[in-house]
Amino acid sequence: HAIARISDEFSFDPIEKGLALRSVNSSRSAYAYVFFSSMFFQHYCWTAVSQPCQKEKQLSLPCKLIIKSVLPVFRCVNVLERNVEKCSICTNINDHHITFQLLCKYGVVKTYNLTCQECDPLQAVFAKHMCPNILKVHPRLLADIMIHFPTSQEEVTLSVTPMKVCFKSYTEEDTDFSKTMLTEIQLNPDEFDYFQVGVDSEVTFCLKELRGLLAFSEATSVPVSIHFDVSGKPIAFSIEDMVLEASFILATLSDVEKETWASGNTTTTFNCNAGNICRWQVYFTRRHCKDFKVAKALEITNLQILHHVVSYFCKCCIFQFHSLFFGAVSCKEQDAISHTFHSLATASDTEEDFGNVNCGAISSFRKKFNCSSSS
Amino acid sequence: MRFRAKIVDLACLNHFSRVINTIAKLAKTCALRLTVSKLYFILSDKVANGGVSMWCELCQGNFFDEFQMEGVAAEHNEIYLELVPENLSRALKTAQNAKAVKIKLTNKHCPCLRVAVELPSLSSSSRMVTHDIPVGVIPRRLWNDFREPSVPDFDVSIYLPVLKTMKSVVERMKNLSNSIVIEANLSGEMNLKIETDLVSVTTHFKDLGNPPWASEDGCQSSTQSRDLESMAEARIDIRKLLQLLAGQQVNPTKALCNIVSKRIVHFILLHEDVSLQYFIPALA
């Protein structure tokens, strides 16, 4: 249910240590990761499968499921708790099937055979330990804060200084104040189990996408850790206990005025390529050009390092979401993290390099920002 | 123009929230009139509302611990604001265990009612939640639109049945028809009727009692000479009636309606410190 807030599909990836579920939203600005260790399950049996076409033994069997087809299995938690004695999950990769079986009271057995597709799950590469700002809070408190915002509230701004923490409705220059009700919650650092603010910052993220994790963490009563940096860099909400961990990593709005690194006429792009670990990097650079700001994004969306270039001109859209760094899930997970900032950099100042325009990505960005753009 | 008010008592806050919730169910936008001693929520009978109008009056002293108001001018010491009561309802919804709620008229980007809720917290200092509710200031030349409606020259006045019962009856009738006929007589009998091509349903209430109205000139001729059994009736929009009934969160001390045959139904709901009048015109 929590992941359903992010996307329509998720990847189901059993590995030796446990079961990983991952999901990314369509604009690549939110990533959910939930990992159930094998100890979470009463019985966990996982076997490696080797396929002759792979150079090395394939250790993981990730596949993709549509959330709409899985949700009915776990529809009413209350009803499940009352009636279901056991739940068993089996994967059959050859048939592309995952079977969920609910063994209920009175001998009733509900079997759900769901089709799945092989996939290469995306994994957000985000160095939590490098974040200057870390807050740790009981999920009840977080829920008590978010309840003051209307359920329709899309974006929320978190503003911190060493002295105070403030959550407020997001507003921008052209917000119609005469029509919008604004809410602001101010908290004392004392209310947090752990409070570290290395740099004053104001980050804006999508509340709707977070609500899934809020509900999930409240159910587990595990404290939520919030790792973040300055605006533009992602914010991570995570919970961790002995048998499970979950992270929701959300992109934050990049405030053009506050950005210091992109100015003038220079734009820099990075292309990354490292063997069979590929990276998806989406970020925005700006070029000030007379009277409008031009945002360009370079997006590498495919394992085969297919560069899709999205460039769009947007007069009204001053703020853009910074997307997340993604890496392929592979056994070399450690490498992925250490290679975060590795690049075979190619500086590029001209537009000629950005030949292919990915219409699909443009339309999803357009939808996200509701602004007109000319291609 | 200044306005500041503060509620500290939880029971008062609760009561005030319930009034606002009722208003929010009756009107999407309404006028808030502030005087030195009272607050009024007013909906005037424009075509856009379907001709319904509402007048709700509260004594500020019964709710607020502090109440300071300075009107637009000395001779007109009142403030008229246009607001969306749902916003106010939302702001108060999560304030139910607040230490204090302050309401202030401010003008940052535009005129707003700032509702500042001080909530208890685990730490030494309280948690502050602030809601800025945009309002429109209604200029003095339009104040005449919001005068108190007069009690119409009704044919029958009768106490309403238990609102909960009436609501559940009307709720079921709503599925069958868009309009409902309310009829009542001076013998304490009331009928709610709907009629469609296929079915007609009538619910009969009796022994409701008729309120005594002392009229100004000493005789209410239209009702006194009226046959006690004769029914006055009006056909009204069932959804408007349901809005009124569904919005009631607490049983009023007195609930009655005045029917002007085929013209209008005037509902009066009285609580200890709040009075609500709601007019639903008859359908053509």
Side-chain angles (χ1 to χ4, degrees):
Chain A
H1 287 273
I3 294 182
R5 304 273 186 150
I6 299 272
S7 169
D8 292 331
E9 55 186 30
F10 68 103
S11 77
F12 181 94
D13 187 9
I15 58 174
E16 188 170 8
K17 286 191 284 191
L19 173 64
L21 307 177
R22 293 186 183 84
S23 187
V24 177
N25 75 352
S26 52
S27 53
R28 303 273 191 270
S29 60
Y31 167 79
Y33 168 71
V34 185
F35 179 74
F36 296 97
S37 99
S38 54
M39 292 189 290
F40 175 83
F41 302 95
Q42 199 179 23
H43 176 71
Y44 188 82
C45 178
W46 173 91
T47 41
V49 167
S50 67
Q51 293 186 358
C53 54
Q54 297 290 111
K55 272 187 272 187
E56 32 182 58
K57 199 170 171 185
Q58 183 176 9
L59 299 175
S60 61
L61 314 159
C63 52
K64 190 167 67 167
L65 285 170
I66 308 286
I67 292 219
K68 271 207 197 119
S69 45
V70 183
L71 270 185
V73 181
F74 300 100
R75 199 198 308 269
C76 263
V77 179
N78 295 336
V79 174
L80 287 181
E81 280 181 357
R82 278 203 306 264
N83 294 337
V84 177
E85 286 167 5
K86 272 203 182 76
C87 169
S88 109
I89 308 173
C90 305
T91 59
N92 184 335
I93 292 307
N94 297 330
D95 266 352
H96 298 290
H97 265 108
I98 298 186
T99 307
F100 290 87
Q101 222 175 34
L102 298 178
L103 292 98
C104 312
K105 278 192 200 167
Y106 315 117
V108 174
V109 176
K110 296 187 195 176
T111 309
Y112 301 82
N113 283 319
L114 303 171
T115 324
C116 60
Q117 273 180 299
E118 275 180 33
C119 76
D120 291 300
L122 296 178
Q123 171 179 284
V125 175
F126 178 65
K128 275 199 303 207
H129 56 275
M130 291 183 54
C131 286
N133 298 337
I134 306 176
L135 308 174
K136 201 159 170 179
V137 65
H138 193 270
R140 186 70 263 197
L141 173 62
L142 214 44
D144 283 346
I145 295 171
M146 298 310 178
I147 203 172
H148 297 284
F149 294 103
T151 37
S152 57
Q153 182 75 38
E154 297 245 354
E155 272 111 24
V156 156
T157 303
L158 164 61
S159 162
V160 294
T161 70
M163 309 297 291
K164 68 172 172 61
V165 178
C166 167
F167 286 88
K168 54 190 177 190
S169 332
Y170 168 61
T171 58
E172 47 185 352
E173 276 171 25
D174 51 2
T175 302
D176 186 357
F177 290 100
S178 65
K179 297 226 167 54
T180 343
M181 177 165 151
L182 300 178
T183 302
E184 182 174 315
I185 299 137
Q186 294 222 2
L187 300 134
N188 195 292
D190 295 355
E191 296 215 53
F192 293 84
D193 295 348
Y194 180 79
F195 182 84
Q196 171 189 310
V197 170
V199 51
D200 288 4
S201 85
E202 217 172 81
V203 290
T204 301
F205 56 89
C206 185
L207 178 60
K208 273 196 168 157
E209 283 163 350
L210 178 64
R211 285 196 193 271
L213 180 72
L214 292 184
F216 183 63
S217 58
E218 257 200 292
T220 57
S221 298
V222 179
V224 177
S225 301
I226 311 174
H227 291 78
F228 58 108
D229 200 326
V230 292
S231 64
K233 303 240 179 100
I235 181 169
F237 293 83
S238 45
I239 63 176
E240 192 173 324
D241 81 356
M242 300 235 287
V243 294
L244 67 83
E245 64 176 272
S247 285
F248 272 46
I249 304 180
L250 308 172
T252 65
L253 274 179
S254 160
D255 183 358
V256 158
E257 274 73 56
K258 295 190 187 131
E259 282 285 291
T260 50
W261 51 269
S263 58
N265 279 335
T266 332
T267 63
T268 320
T269 63
F270 295 88
N271 306 324
C272 263
N273 166 12
N276 58 1
I277 298 173
C278 295
R279 280 173 195 84
W280 290 256
Q281 290 184 2
V282 183
Y283 59 93
F284 293 84
T285 61
R286 294 161 321 149
R287 178 193 291 192
H288 293 261
C289 187
K290 289 188 194 158
D291 49 25
F292 62 84
K293 295 177 168 87
V294 174
K296 287 195 204 162
L298 174 68
E299 180 171 331
I300 310 166
T301 58
N302 191 292
L303 257 182
Q304 271 70 46
I305 318 169
L306 179 65
H307 294 253
H308 290 265
V309 177
V310 176
S311 69
Y312 68 100
F313 299 77
C314 187
K315 279 187 201 170
C316 54
C317 184
I318 303 173
F319 302 107
Q320 290 90 30
F321 273 99
H322 262 203
S323 234
L324 312 173
F325 288 96
F326 285 103
V329 176
S330 72
C331 46
K332 299 193 193 131
E333 274 180 40
Q334 277 309 293
D335 282 353
I337 294 170
S338 63
H339 279 128
T340 307
F341 301 106
H342 169 79
S343 66
L344 307 172
T346 317
S348 159
D349 283 335
T350 59
E351 288 187 17
E352 281 78 58
D353 288 353
F354 310 119
N356 303 325
V357 174
N358 181 331
C359 296
I362 284 188
S363 64
S364 81
F365 282 126
R366 258 193 223 154
K367 258 187 258 172
K368 183 111 181 128
F369 300 119
N370 281 334
C371 56
S372 57
S373 53
S374 54
S375 49
Chain B
M1 239 193 333
R2 278 180 80 240
F3 172 61
R4 309 170 88 95
K6 183 164 148 182
I7 304 181
V8 172
D9 180 62
L10 275 185
C12 291
L13 176 59
N14 206 284
H15 194 14
F16 187 66
S17 306
R18 274 188 266 122
V19 174
I20 305 293
N21 291 343
T22 306
I23 303 288
K25 293 224 165 65
L26 292 174
K28 234 175 120 192
T29 319
C30 72
L32 167 60
R33 173 183 169 199
L34 301 165
T35 68
V36 169
S37 54
K38 292 199 179 175
L39 289 97
Y40 304 81
F41 290 93
I42 308 164
L43 183 65
S44 54
D45 55 354
K46 305 229 166 46
V47 177
N49 305 326
V52 298
S53 57
M54 170 188 74
W55 179 271
C56 179
E57 200 173 302
L58 300 86
C59 266
Q60 61 90 345
N62 290 328
F63 298 91
F64 296 92
D65 292 274
E66 284 171 28
F67 192 91
Q68 296 158 22
M69 200 251 358
E70 261 170 47
V72 293
E75 334 67 83
H76 303 280
N77 198 17
E78 302 188 352
I79 301 177
Y80 282 68
L81 301 170
E82 186 178 359
L83 59 70
V84 174
E86 171 66 36
N87 286 340
L88 192 49
S89 173
R90 218 169 6 93
L92 296 173
K93 193 158 73 147
T94 50
Q96 290 316 301
N97 59 337
K99 282 188 192 170
V101 173
K102 292 195 197 142
I103 305 180
K104 188 169 116 171
L105 186 60
T106 65
N107 191 347
K108 213 165 59 159
H109 303 271
C110 70
C112 275
L113 270 186
R114 170 163 290 180
V115 179
V117 182
E118 192 184 331
L119 291 168
S121 80
L122 304 161
S123 80
S124 48
S125 59
S126 314
R127 216 180 282 171
M128 290 296 302
V129 182
T130 322
H131 299 275
D132 282 336
I133 301 169
V135 294
V137 177
I138 300 177
R140 208 150 53 75
R141 58 190 159 82
L142 296 177
W143 286 11
N144 270 332
D145 290 350
F146 303 100
R147 274 172 306 176
E148 179 167 4
S150 46
V151 177
D153 205 6
F154 52 83
D155 297 308
V156 167
S157 176
I158 187 168
Y159 286 115
L160 294 175
V162 172
L163 290 188
K164 212 165 125 186
T165 313
M166 198 174 166
K167 176 186 134 187
S168 52
V169 167
V170 175
E171 232 168 19
R172 275 144 190 73
M173 287 180 164
K174 181 181 78 118
N175 298 328
L176 298 169
S177 168
N178 282 335
S179 66
I180 187 174
V181 172
I182 295 188
E183 63 175 23
N185 63 21
L186 289 170
S187 304
E189 291 171 345
M190 172 192 275
N191 301 328
L192 298 175
K193 302 196 294 198
I194 55 162
E195 199 170 305
T196 69
D197 290 338
L198 296 175
V199 67
S200 64
V201 183
T202 310
T203 304
H204 305 266
F205 297 93
K206 51 185 198 178
D207 296 332
L208 294 172
N210 301 88
W213 281 86
S215 65
E216 282 120 32
D217 58 4
C219 71
Q220 187 74 272
S221 51
S222 60
T223 51
Q224 276 186 352
S225 56
R226 197 188 164 81
D227 169 25
L228 291 183
E229 304 288 323
S230 150
M231 292 279 183
E233 65 162 50
R235 176 189 299 275
I236 58 174
D237 184 335
I238 206 174
R239 285 162 303 185
K240 301 269 183 297
L241 177 58
L242 194 54
Q243 261 181 324
L244 174 66
L245 298 173
Q248 297 308 305
Q249 301 193 315
V250 181
N251 270 331
T253 326
K254 268 202 174 76
L256 57 106
C257 76
N258 300 327
I259 305 177
V260 180
S261 231
K262 297 192 175 27
R263 296 285 300 281
I264 198 163
V265 183
H266 173 212
F267 294 90
I268 305 180
L269 302 170
L270 296 172
H271 297 84
E272 271 173 27
D273 29 29
V274 182
S275 77
L276 174 64
Q277 294 181 55
Y278 198 63
F279 296 79
I280 307 182
L283 296 170

Coordinates of all heavy atoms in Angstrom, one line a residue, chain B residues 192-247:
Chain B
L192 N -43.7 14.4 5.5 CA -42.7 14.6 4.5 C -43.1 13.6 3.4 O -43.3 12.4 3.6 CB -41.3 14.2 5.1 CG -40.8 15.0 6.2 CD1 -39.5 14.4 6.8 CD2 -40.6 16.4 5.9
K193 N -43.3 14.2 2.2 CA -43.8 13.4 1.1 C -42.9 13.5 -0.1 O -42.4 14.6 -0.5 CB -45.2 13.9 0.6 CG -46.2 13.9 1.7 CD -47.6 14.1 1.1 CE -47.8 15.4 0.5 NZ -49.3 15.7 0.3
I194 N -42.7 12.4 -0.8 CA -42.1 12.4 -2.1 C -43.0 11.7 -3.1 O -43.6 10.7 -2.7 CB -40.6 11.8 -2.2 CG1 -40.6 10.4 -1.6 CG2 -39.7 12.7 -1.4 CD1 -39.4 9.7 -2.1
E195 N -42.9 12.1 -4.3 CA -43.8 11.4 -5.3 C -43.0 11.3 -6.6 O -42.5 12.3 -7.1 CB -45.0 12.3 -5.5 CG -46.2 11.5 -6.1 CD -47.4 12.3 -6.1 OE1 -47.8 12.7 -4.9 OE2 -48.0 12.5 -7.1
T196 N -42.9 10.1 -7.1 CA -42.4 9.9 -8.4 C -43.4 9.1 -9.3 O -44.5 8.8 -8.8 CB -41.1 9.0 -8.4 OG1 -41.4 7.7 -8.0 CG2 -40.1 9.6 -7.4
D197 N -43.0 8.8 -10.5 CA -43.9 8.1 -11.4 C -44.3 6.7 -10.8 O -45.3 6.2 -11.0 CB -43.3 7.9 -12.8 CG -43.2 9.2 -13.5 OD1 -43.9 10.1 -13.2 OD2 -42.3 9.3 -14.4
L198 N -43.3 6.1 -10.2 CA -43.5 4.8 -9.7 C -44.0 4.6 -8.3 O -44.6 3.7 -7.9 CB -42.2 4.0 -9.9 CG -41.7 3.8 -11.3 CD1 -40.3 3.2 -11.3 CD2 -42.7 3.0 -12.1
V199 N -43.6 5.6 -7.5 CA -43.8 5.4 -6.1 C -44.0 6.7 -5.4 O -43.5 7.7 -5.8 CB -42.6 4.6 -5.5 CG1 -41.4 5.5 -5.5 CG2 -42.9 4.2 -4.0
S200 N -44.8 6.7 -4.4 CA -44.9 7.9 -3.5 C -44.7 7.4 -2.1 O -45.3 6.3 -1.7 CB -46.2 8.6 -3.7 OG -47.3 7.9 -3.3
V201 N -44.0 8.1 -1.3 CA -43.7 7.8 0.1 C -44.0 8.9 1.0 O -43.6 10.1 0.7 CB -42.2 7.4 0.2 CG1 -41.9 7.0 1.6 CG2 -41.7 6.4 -0.8
T202 N -44.7 8.7 2.0 CA -45.0 9.7 3.0 C -44.6 9.3 4.4 O -45.0 8.1 4.8 CB -46.5 10.1 3.0 OG1 -46.9 10.3 1.6 CG2 -46.8 11.3 3.8
T203 N -44.0 10.1 5.1 CA -43.7 9.8 6.5 C -44.5 10.8 7.4 O -44.4 12.0 7.1 CB -42.2 10.0 6.8 OG1 -41.4 9.1 5.9 CG2 -41.8 9.6 8.2
H204 N -45.2 10.3 8.3 CA -46.1 11.1 9.2 C -45.5 11.3 10.5 O -45.1 10.3 11.2 CB -47.4 10.4 9.3 CG -48.1 10.1 8.0 ND1 -49.0 11.0 7.4 CD2 -48.0 9.0 7.2 CE1 -49.4 10.4 6.3 NE2 -48.9 9.2 6.1
F205 N -45.4 12.5 11.0 CA -45.0 12.8 12.4 C -46.2 13.4 13.1 O -46.9 14.3 12.5 CB -43.8 13.7 12.4 CG -42.6 13.2 11.7 CD1 -42.3 13.5 10.4 CD2 -41.6 12.5 12.5 CE1 -41.2 13.0 9.8 CE2 -40.5 12.0 11.9 CZ -40.2 12.2 10.5
K206 N -46.4 13.1 14.3 CA -47.5 13.8 15.0 C -47.0 14.1 16.4 O -46.0 13.7 16.9 CB -48.8 12.9 15.1 CG -48.6 11.5 15.5 CD -49.9 10.8 15.4 CE -49.7 9.5 16.3 NZ -50.8 8.7 16.4
D207 N -47.9 14.9 17.1 CA -47.6 15.4 18.5 C -46.3 16.1 18.5 O -45.6 16.0 19.5 CB -47.5 14.2 19.5 CG -48.9 13.5 19.6 OD1 -49.9 14.1 19.4 OD2 -48.9 12.3 19.9
L208 N -46.1 16.9 17.5 CA -44.8 17.7 17.5 C -45.0 19.0 18.3 O -44.0 19.5 18.9 CB -44.4 18.0 16.1 CG -44.0 16.8 15.2 CD1 -43.8 17.2 13.8 CD2 -42.8 16.2 15.8
G209 N -46.1 19.5 18.3 CA -46.3 20.8 19.1 C -46.1 22.0 18.2 O -45.3 21.9 17.2
N210 N -46.8 23.0 18.4 CA -46.6 24.2 17.7 C -46.2 25.3 18.6 O -46.8 25.6 19.6 CB -48.0 24.6 17.0 CG -48.5 23.6 16.1 OD1 -49.2 22.7 16.5 ND2 -48.1 23.6 14.8
P211 N -45.1 26.0 18.2 CA -44.6 27.1 19.1 C -45.5 28.2 19.1 O -46.1 28.6 18.1 CB -43.2 27.4 18.4 CG -43.3 26.9 17.0 CD -44.3 25.8 17.0
P212 N -45.6 28.8 20.3 CA -46.5 30.0 20.4 C -45.7 31.2 19.9 O -44.6 31.5 20.4 CB -46.8 30.1 21.9 CG -45.6 29.4 22.5 CD -45.0 28.5 21.5
W213 N -46.2 32.0 19.0 CA -45.5 33.2 18.6 C -46.3 34.4 19.1 O -47.4 34.6 18.8 CB -45.5 33.2 17.0 CG -44.5 32.3 16.4 CD1 -44.6 31.0 16.1 CD2 -43.2 32.7 16.0 NE1 -43.4 30.6 15.6 CE2 -42.5 31.6 15.5 CE3 -42.4 33.9 16.1 CZ2 -41.2 31.6 15.0 CZ3 -41.1 34.0 15.6 CH2 -40.5 32.8 15.1
A214 N -45.6 35.2 19.9 CA -46.2 36.4 20.4 C -46.0 37.4 19.3 O -44.8 37.8 19.0 CB -45.6 36.8 21.7
S215 N -47.0 37.9 18.7 CA -46.8 38.9 17.6 C -46.8 40.3 18.1 O -47.3 40.6 19.2 CB -47.8 38.7 16.5 OG -49.1 39.1 17.0
E216 N -46.2 41.2 17.3 CA -46.0 42.6 17.8 C -47.4 43.3 18.0 O -47.5 44.1 19.0 CB -45.2 43.4 16.8 CG -43.7 43.1 16.9 CD -43.2 42.5 15.6 OE1 -43.7 42.9 14.5 OE2 -42.3 41.7 15.6
D217 N -48.3 43.1 17.1 CA -49.5 43.8 17.3 C -50.6 43.1 18.1 O -51.7 43.4 18.1 CB -50.0 44.2 15.9 CG -50.3 43.0 15.0 OD1 -50.1 41.9 15.6 OD2 -50.6 43.1 13.9
G218 N -50.2 42.0 18.7 CA -51.1 41.4 19.7 C -51.9 40.3 19.0 O -52.5 39.5 19.7
C219 N -52.0 40.2 17.7 CA -52.7 39.1 17.1 C -52.1 38.6 15.8 O -51.9 39.4 14.9 CB -54.2 39.4 17.0 SG -54.6 40.6 15.7
Q220 N -51.9 37.4 15.8 CA -51.3 36.8 14.6 C -52.5 36.3 13.8 O -52.9 35.1 13.9 CB -50.4 35.6 15.0 CG -49.6 34.9 13.9 CD -48.4 35.8 13.4 OE1 -48.6 36.6 12.5 NE2 -47.3 35.6 14.0
S221 N -53.1 37.2 13.0 CA -54.4 36.8 12.4 C -54.3 35.7 11.5 O -55.2 34.8 11.4 CB -55.0 38.1 11.7 OG -54.0 38.6 10.8
S222 N -53.3 35.6 10.7 CA -53.2 34.5 9.7 C -53.3 33.2 10.4 O -53.8 32.2 9.8 CB -52.0 34.7 8.8 OG -50.8 34.6 9.6
T223 N -52.6 33.0 11.5 CA -52.6 31.7 12.1 C -53.8 31.4 13.0 O -54.3 30.3 13.1 CB -51.3 31.4 12.9 OG1 -51.1 32.5 13.8 CG2 -50.1 31.3 12.0
Q224 N -54.2 32.5 13.7 CA -55.3 32.3 14.7 C -56.6 31.9 14.0 O -57.4 31.0 14.4 CB -55.6 33.5 15.5 CG -54.6 33.6 16.6 CD -54.9 34.8 17.6 OE1 -55.7 35.6 17.3 NE2 -54.2 34.8 18.7
S225 N -56.8 32.4 12.8 CA -58.1 32.1 12.1 C -58.0 30.8 11.3 O -58.9 30.4 10.6 CB -58.5 33.3 11.3 OG -57.5 33.6 10.4
R226 N -56.8 30.3 11.4 CA -56.5 29.1 10.5 C -57.1 27.9 11.1 O -57.1 27.6 12.3 CB -55.0 29.0 10.4 CG -54.6 28.1 9.2 CD -53.1 27.9 9.3 NE -52.8 26.8 8.4 CZ -52.6 26.9 7.1 NH1 -52.8 28.1 6.5 NH2 -52.4 25.9 6.4
D227 N -57.7 27.0 10.2 CA -58.2 25.7 10.6 C -57.0 24.9 11.1 O -56.0 24.8 10.4 CB -58.8 25.1 9.3 CG -59.2 23.6 9.6 OD1 -59.3 23.2 10.8 OD2 -59.2 22.9 8.6
L228 N -57.2 24.3 12.3 CA -56.1 23.6 12.9 C -55.6 22.4 12.1 O -54.5 22.0 12.2 CB -56.5 23.1 14.3 CG -56.7 24.2 15.3 CD1 -57.0 23.6 16.7 CD2 -55.4 25.1 15.5
E229 N -56.5 21.8 11.4 CA -56.1 20.6 10.6 C -55.6 20.9 9.3 O -55.0 20.0 8.6 CB -57.4 19.7 10.4 CG -58.1 19.3 11.7 CD -57.3 18.3 12.5 OE1 -56.7 17.5 11.9 OE2 -57.3 18.5 13.8
S230 N -55.8 22.1 8.8 CA -55.4 22.4 7.4 C -53.9 22.5 7.3 O -53.2 23.1 8.1 CB -56.0 23.7 7.0 OG -55.2 24.4 6.1
M231 N -53.4 21.8 6.3 CA -51.9 21.7 6.1 C -51.4 22.8 5.2 O -52.0 23.1 4.2 CB -51.6 20.4 5.3 CG -51.8 19.1 6.1 SD -50.4 18.8 7.2 CE -50.9 17.3 8.0
A232 N -50.3 23.4 5.6 CA -49.5 24.3 4.8 C -48.4 23.5 4.2 O -47.8 22.7 4.9 CB -49.0 25.5 5.6
E233 N -48.2 23.7 2.9 CA -47.1 22.8 2.4 C -46.2 23.6 1.4 O -46.6 24.7 0.9 CB -47.7 21.7 1.6 CG -48.5 22.1 0.4 CD -48.7 21.0 -0.6 OE1 -49.2 19.9 -0.2 OE2 -48.4 21.2 -1.8
A234 N -45.0 23.1 1.3 CA -44.1 23.7 0.3 C -43.2 22.6 -0.2 O -42.8 21.7 0.5 CB -43.2 24.7 1.0
R235 N -42.9 22.6 -1.5 CA -42.1 21.6 -2.2 C -40.7 22.3 -2.3 O -40.5 23.3 -2.9 CB -42.6 21.3 -3.6 CG -41.7 20.3 -4.3 CD -42.1 20.2 -5.8 NE -43.5 19.7 -5.8 CZ -43.8 18.4 -5.8 NH1 -42.8 17.5 -5.7 NH2 -45.0 18.0 -5.8
I236 N -39.7 21.6 -1.7 CA -38.4 22.2 -1.7 C -37.4 21.1 -2.2 O -37.7 19.9 -2.3 CB -37.9 22.6 -0.3 CG1 -38.0 21.4 0.7 CG2 -38.8 23.8 0.2 CD1 -37.4 21.8 2.1
D237 N -36.2 21.6 -2.5 CA -35.1 20.8 -3.0 C -34.6 19.9 -1.8 O -34.2 20.4 -0.8 CB -33.9 21.7 -3.5 CG -32.8 20.9 -4.1 OD1 -32.6 19.7 -3.7 OD2 -32.0 21.5 -4.9
I238 N -34.7 18.6 -2.1 CA -34.4 17.7 -1.0 C -32.9 17.7 -0.5 O -32.6 17.5 0.7 CB -34.7 16.2 -1.4 CG1 -35.1 15.4 -0.2 CG2 -33.7 15.6 -2.3 CD1 -35.6 14.0 -0.5
R239 N -32.0 18.1 -1.5 CA -30.6 18.1 -1.1 C -30.3 19.3 -0.1 O -29.5 19.1 0.8 CB -29.7 18.3 -2.3 CG -29.6 17.0 -3.1 CD -29.1 17.2 -4.5 NE -30.0 18.2 -5.2 CZ -29.9 18.5 -6.4 NH1 -28.9 18.0 -7.1 NH2 -30.7 19.4 -7.0
K240 N -31.1 20.4 -0.3 CA -30.8 21.5 0.6 C -31.3 21.2 2.0 O -30.7 21.5 3.0 CB -31.6 22.8 0.1 CG -31.2 23.2 -1.3 CD -30.1 24.2 -1.2 CE -29.8 24.8 -2.6 NZ -29.2 23.9 -3.5
L241 N -32.4 20.5 2.1 CA -32.9 20.0 3.4 C -32.0 19.1 4.0 O -31.7 19.2 5.2 CB -34.3 19.4 3.2 CG -34.9 18.8 4.5 CD1 -35.1 20.0 5.5 CD2 -36.3 18.2 4.2
L242 N -31.4 18.2 3.2 CA -30.5 17.2 3.8 C -29.2 17.9 4.3 O -28.7 17.5 5.3 CB -30.2 16.1 2.7 CG -29.5 14.9 3.3 CD1 -30.3 14.3 4.4 CD2 -29.3 13.9 2.2
Q243 N -28.8 18.9 3.6 CA -27.6 19.6 4.0 C -27.8 20.2 5.4 O -26.9 20.2 6.2 CB -27.3 20.8 3.0 CG -26.3 20.5 2.0 CD -26.1 21.7 1.1 OE1 -27.0 22.4 0.7 NE2 -24.8 21.9 0.7
L244 N -29.0 20.7 5.6 CA -29.2 21.3 6.9 C -29.3 20.3 8.0 O -28.6 20.4 9.0 CB -30.6 22.1 6.8 CG -31.1 22.6 8.2 CD1 -30.2 23.7 8.6 CD2 -32.5 23.1 8.0
L245 N -29.9 19.2 7.7 CA -30.1 18.1 8.7 C -28.8 17.4 8.9 O -28.4 17.1 10.1 CB -31.2 17.1 8.3 CG -32.5 17.7 8.1 CD1 -33.5 16.7 7.5 CD2 -33.1 18.2 9.5
A246 N -28.0 17.2 7.9 CA -26.8 16.4 8.0 C -25.7 17.2 8.7 O -24.8 16.7 9.3 CB -26.3 16.0 6.7
G247 N -25.8 18.5 8.6 CA -24.8 19.4 9.2 C -24.9 19.5 10.7 O -24.0 20.0 11.4

